[in-house]
Amino acid sequence: MKRESNFEVLRTMAMFFIVIYHCLIRGIDEEHVFIISSPISTFNLLFSTFMLAISSISVNLYVMISGYFLVDLDFKMSRIVRLWVQACFYSFLISSIMILGGVTQFNVVSLCKSLFPLSSDSYWFVTQFVGLLILSPFLAILVKQLSYRQYIGLLIGLACICLAILPEFPMGRRFHVAHGNSVWSFAYLFLIAGFIKHHVKRIPKVKLLLSILIVTILTIACEIYGGYHHGTVSLCWLDYNSLPFILSVLVFLYVRQTHVHDSGICNFLVRLAPYSLGVYLIHDHLLVRGWLWKMVSITSECEKWVFPIIVLSLCITIFLSCILIDAIRKKVFSLLKIDRIIAKSDKWIFHF
């Protein structure tokens, strides 16, 4: 698959902001509230809601990047197998380490379940993404065969099913779109990415930046309104298929038209992109999740001026540590020729 630097940078940054998202929603106790009358508390509230607004589009962006390239590629079984093997590797390895380290008690059933992370839904994103990969060749056919008017009609129709600009509106929960983290929402993002690639021409960057600013402010306002109660605000995040959906499309359009300069930081981020999924598989493992955010709880720091620095420093440390671990995993897989074995799975099925 041909890589484009702008999207590789976006892929890396999306995963970093997913770590920030998890830090804020799991590292801060649900009971904690920010006091509006306090300058420090208000400042940290605005920082947190801004970070949540940006972070909440990360999953959508990750899916759209994949759809943007997959729409013009032949289906390969190895993509699914590689993802499954990587998820199983981390699921079983982490579960074993946690048992040996005494973090959790030994349980034969739980350990066996760790070998089947997709069916147990321990990694919800991987489970839904594998579903998208299965559907991808058929979605690609739709992208290429539909006329412009038909494509527009399809996107409008699916918007009524997959999007929820207001909670449970317009179609309620009957289609099980699961707040934007279901395979159906992923399929819709795939189609959006395909439409952008094949039908959307260049849009003035000024208009995109202005739109991004307006939607970001609106998202932050909705987050604060949703968590407001008698002079205090608890952190509240919006569903992926509500305002963050609009924001993610706008950001994707902007990045698509952005040329990444050949600089040290950009090259560094591009080099990290292949390891980005490993960051998710490591830090958001069910056992790691429970242990990590208990060990590094940041609730006590919420009323300090250094709160933003603590959040960013902690997330950078977690992110780079996971990158390093996955780089080692990738090297081991290379030495054992596992990727070469996985590539042979492309012969198991017919070509689309």
Side-chain angles (χ1 to χ4, degrees), residues 253-293:
L253 286 167
Y254 181 83
V255 172
R256 182 197 181 209
Q257 299 177 182
T258 302
H259 174 70
V260 174
H261 297 288
D262 189 16
S263 61
I265 184 64
C266 289
N267 291 338
F268 178 68
L269 293 175
V270 169
R271 291 179 64 183
L272 295 185
Y275 310 106
S276 58
L277 183 62
V279 176
Y280 165 71
L281 295 174
I282 297 168
H283 92 277
D284 206 41
H285 183 280
L286 289 176
L287 295 178
V288 173
R289 180 195 305 174
W291 170 81
L292 176 62
W293 302 118

Side-chain angles (χ1 to χ4, degrees), residues 63 124-125 127-135 139 162 176-178 180-190:
V63 175
W124 75 263
F125 175 82
T127 302
Q128 304 302 324
F129 195 76
V130 166
L132 177 65
L133 290 177
I134 294 171
L135 294 174
L139 294 173
C162 296
H176 303 287
V177 292
N181 55 8
S182 71
V183 68
W184 311 118
S185 295
F186 282 16
Y188 187 55
L189 289 167
F190 183 103

Side-chain angles (χ1 to χ4, degrees), residues 50-335:
F50 173 75
M51 283 298 173
L52 281 178
I54 300 301
S55 302
S56 62
I57 70 175
S58 297
V59 169
N60 288 349
L61 288 173
Y62 213 88
V63 175
M64 290 178 71
I65 292 169
S66 299
Y68 188 82
F69 293 101
L70 287 174
V71 71
D72 290 324
L73 296 176
D74 293 332
F75 177 82
K76 288 187 177 181
M77 187 66 182
S78 58
R79 293 193 187 101
I80 296 176
V81 176
R82 184 174 292 107
L83 182 57
W84 178 81
V85 169
Q86 190 177 351
C88 288
F89 172 80
Y90 279 121
S91 179
F92 183 75
L93 178 64
I94 292 173
S95 296
S96 301
I97 291 174
M98 288 296 187
I99 291 172
L100 293 173
V103 177
T104 186
Q105 292 184 341
F106 174 75
N107 185 301
V108 176
V109 175
S110 297
L111 192 59
C112 290
K113 279 187 175 181
S114 69
L115 290 169
F116 303 95
L118 302 190
S119 57
S120 63
D121 205 29
S122 58
Y123 291 122
W124 75 263
F125 175 82
V126 176
T127 302
Q128 304 302 324
F129 195 76
V130 166
L132 177 65
L133 290 177
I134 294 171
L135 294 174
S136 63
F138 309 104
L139 294 173
I141 292 173
L142 275 178
V143 171
K144 296 169 184 175
Q145 296 297 322
L146 292 176
S147 67
Y148 180 81
R149 290 173 63 88
Q150 289 172 330
Y151 208 152
I152 290 290
L154 175 65
L155 293 180
I156 292 174
L158 289 177
C160 296
I161 297 173
C162 296
L163 301 185
I165 303 305
L166 296 175
E168 300 183 32
F169 179 85
M171 305 294 280
R173 295 179 180 270
R174 290 297 178 184
F175 287 98
H176 303 287
V177 292
H179 312 294
N181 55 8
S182 71
V183 68
W184 311 118
S185 295
F186 282 16
Y188 187 55
L189 289 167
F190 183 103
L191 292 172
I192 289 289
F195 182 80
I196 290 173
K197 187 171 189 178
H198 287 268
H199 296 288
V200 176
K201 305 299 181 183
R202 188 174 182 85
I203 300 173
K205 280 191 173 183
V206 174
K207 290 184 178 180
L208 286 174
L209 282 174
L210 181 60
S211 299
I212 289 171
L213 178 62
I214 292 172
V215 178
T216 300
I217 293 173
L218 184 58
T219 302
I220 292 172
C222 289
E223 289 174 349
I224 294 176
Y225 176 79
Y228 180 81
H229 183 71
H230 296 304
T232 63
V233 178
S234 57
L235 289 185
C236 174
W237 51 93
L238 305 182
D239 294 341
Y240 300 149
N241 59 342
S242 57
L243 279 174
F245 168 82
I246 299 173
L247 185 57
S248 59
V249 173
L250 291 171
V251 170
F252 187 87
L253 286 167
Y254 181 83
V255 172
R256 182 197 181 209
Q257 299 177 182
T258 302
H259 174 70
V260 174
H261 297 288
D262 189 16
S263 61
I265 184 64
C266 289
N267 291 338
F268 178 68
L269 293 175
V270 169
R271 291 179 64 183
L272 295 185
Y275 310 106
S276 58
L277 183 62
V279 176
Y280 165 71
L281 295 174
I282 297 168
H283 92 277
D284 206 41
H285 183 280
L286 289 176
L287 295 178
V288 173
R289 180 195 305 174
W291 170 81
L292 176 62
W293 302 118
K294 182 179 179 181
M295 289 290 293
V296 296
S297 174
I298 56 174
T299 306
S300 61
E301 313 298 330
C302 289
E303 304 305 320
K304 300 178 182 178
W305 285 112
V306 293
F307 175 72
I309 298 175
I310 291 173
V311 170
L312 293 175
S313 300
L314 176 61
C315 292
I316 289 173
T317 301
I318 293 171
F319 180 78
L320 292 179
S321 298
C322 293
I323 288 286
L324 178 60
I325 293 171
D326 197 56
I328 296 172
R329 189 273 315 166
K330 198 174 182 67
K331 183 66 174 178
V332 172
F333 274 32
S334 177
L335 292 173

Side-chain angles (χ1 to χ4, degrees), residues 331-343:
K331 183 66 174 178
V332 172
F333 274 32
S334 177
L335 292 173
L336 297 177
K337 297 182 174 18
I338 292 178
D339 287 332
R340 192 175 299 179
I341 296 172
I342 292 174

